Amino acid sequence: MDQEGIQSFLIVFSIIAFALALTVILLFAIFQKRKNKLVRIQQETENKFKEEIIETQIEIREETLRNISWELHDNIGQLLTLAKIQLNEADETCGNVSEASETISECLKELRNLSKLINPDTFTSLTLIEALEMEIERFNRMKYLETTLEYNLETFDLNTKVETIIFRMLQEFFTNTIKHSKATQLKVKLTYSEETLEIKAEDNGVGFDVSQLSRGIGLSNIKNRAKIIGADAIIESKKGEGTQFLLTYKNK
């Protein structure tokens, strides 16, 4: 083969090799794109499935709370009312009877307030601020701990479902504060501006190691509920330095 033939062969071979390499690269790119798409679809499906499970769990809890609320109001409330009537018909000269009647009246009042606060239907008539005020007033009345609430707006436009979930998250935090923190103070602050709601709740309790957060069902529920409404929820704590709950929600 002469020199010119060799050059022609090399040119043809180079073109073929380049075409093959380009084909392999294109096929790999197409494969990678399809793979990434499948992974993304799988991830989205998994995330949607998890969200549906969480939503179902929340719906079950809310329905349970609704039933408990009705039970407290209709059954236990009626029994306490009957007991009060019976005491009033007893010998009123006895001081113990009068004191017992007053105690039952206070029990009825607290029972009705609690019934409202755990009933999801409450948010059809109460705003988030009003529900929080009721909850915090209850803490102060029962002398659980000294509690304060600050906010820059009394009302803001939030979906009822979102308000309910935010309130339940705060209730989870309050419950953990009362049960485990040994705190004497609880402060809650809500700031709403430019369709962004920021909430900061903090106690002065014993604190805990946040690396153990996954072991706490209540505080883990806060994270799960936040995912449902697309909010950012952060729990910060150090032993001996209390606990903070920070929530940021962008109103859509």
Side-chain angles (χ1 to χ4, degrees):
M1 185 179 292
D2 57 16
Q3 189 68 26
E4 186 177 343
I6 293 173
Q7 288 180 349
S8 298
F9 173 77
L10 289 174
I11 291 170
V12 171
F13 178 80
S14 297
I15 293 171
I16 293 172
F18 177 76
L20 286 171
L22 185 61
T23 301
V24 170
I25 292 171
L26 287 172
L27 288 173
F28 179 77
I30 292 169
F31 169 78
Q32 197 65 33
K33 185 177 180 181
R34 288 183 177 178
K35 180 183 175 183
N36 291 340
K37 184 179 179 180
L38 286 173
V39 169
R40 188 174 66 253
I41 292 172
Q42 184 180 3
Q43 188 65 46
E44 288 174 355
T45 302
E46 185 177 340
N47 290 339
K48 187 176 180 181
F49 178 68
K50 286 180 179 178
E51 286 182 4
E52 287 176 352
I53 289 177
I54 294 170
E55 282 194 12
T56 301
Q57 289 173 338
I58 289 175
E59 287 173 3
I60 291 171
R61 291 193 191 105
E62 294 298 307
E63 186 60 32
T64 301
L65 288 173
R66 185 180 286 109
N67 292 334
I68 293 172
S69 172
W70 291 338
E71 192 74 18
L72 286 173
H73 186 272
D74 294 343
N75 293 343
I76 299 176
Q78 286 179 7
L79 288 172
L80 284 172
T81 301
L82 177 60
K84 183 181 177 184
I85 292 170
Q86 291 171 338
L87 280 172
N88 288 337
E89 291 176 351
D91 185 359
E92 294 186 0
T93 59
C94 177
N96 290 338
V97 170
S98 178
E99 289 177 8
S101 180
E102 289 179 8
T103 300
I104 289 178
S105 294
E106 287 299 313
C107 287
L108 278 168
K109 183 178 178 182
E110 294 300 328
L111 190 66
R112 284 165 184 151
N113 286 336
L114 181 60
S115 176
K116 280 184 180 179
L117 286 170
I118 66 174
N119 192 335
D121 298 331
T122 293
F123 287 90
T124 59
S125 58
L126 289 180
T127 65
L128 176 61
I129 294 294
E130 289 170 338
L132 284 172
E133 283 179 330
M134 286 180 62
E135 184 82 323
I136 284 169
E137 284 173 8
R138 185 169 69 90
F139 292 159
N140 289 329
R141 278 197 311 273
M142 302 299 289
K143 302 188 185 301
Y144 288 137
L145 68 174
E146 184 183 337
T147 316
T148 59
L149 173 65
E150 293 182 37
Y151 48 86
N152 65 330
L153 294 175
E154 291 189 7
T155 58
F156 31 84
D157 185 25
L158 285 183
N159 179 277
T160 300
K161 178 182 176 182
V162 171
E163 285 196 328
T164 303
I165 290 176
I166 290 175
F167 182 66
R168 296 298 180 223
M169 284 191 282
L170 286 165
Q171 276 189 319
E172 292 275 13
F173 181 79
F174 297 160
T175 299
N176 277 275
T177 294
I178 292 169
K179 288 173 64 176
H180 306 298
S181 75
K182 299 180 182 178
T184 57
Q185 292 182 336
L186 172 64
K187 298 179 180 178
V188 184
K189 184 176 182 180
L190 288 80
T191 306
Y192 189 80
S193 60
E194 297 181 356
E195 298 189 344
T196 299
L197 173 63
E198 294 180 348
I199 299 176
K200 180 180 180 182
E202 57 182 337
D203 65 48
N204 65 342
V206 296
F208 64 95
D209 183 356
V210 291
S211 65
Q212 304 299 315
L213 178 62
S214 60
R215 298 183 184 180
I217 296 175
L219 294 178
S220 295
N221 283 340
I222 291 176
K223 294 281 189 179
N224 291 335
R225 289 175 186 268
K227 287 180 183 178
I228 291 295
I229 60 174
D232 294 324
I234 300 172
I235 297 170
E236 297 178 344
S237 185
K238 288 184 181 179
K239 289 188 176 181
E241 297 184 17
T243 304
Q244 288 187 348
F245 167 49
L246 307 170
L247 177 78
T248 304
Y249 173 74
K250 294 187 181 299
N251 198 9
K252 303 177 180 68

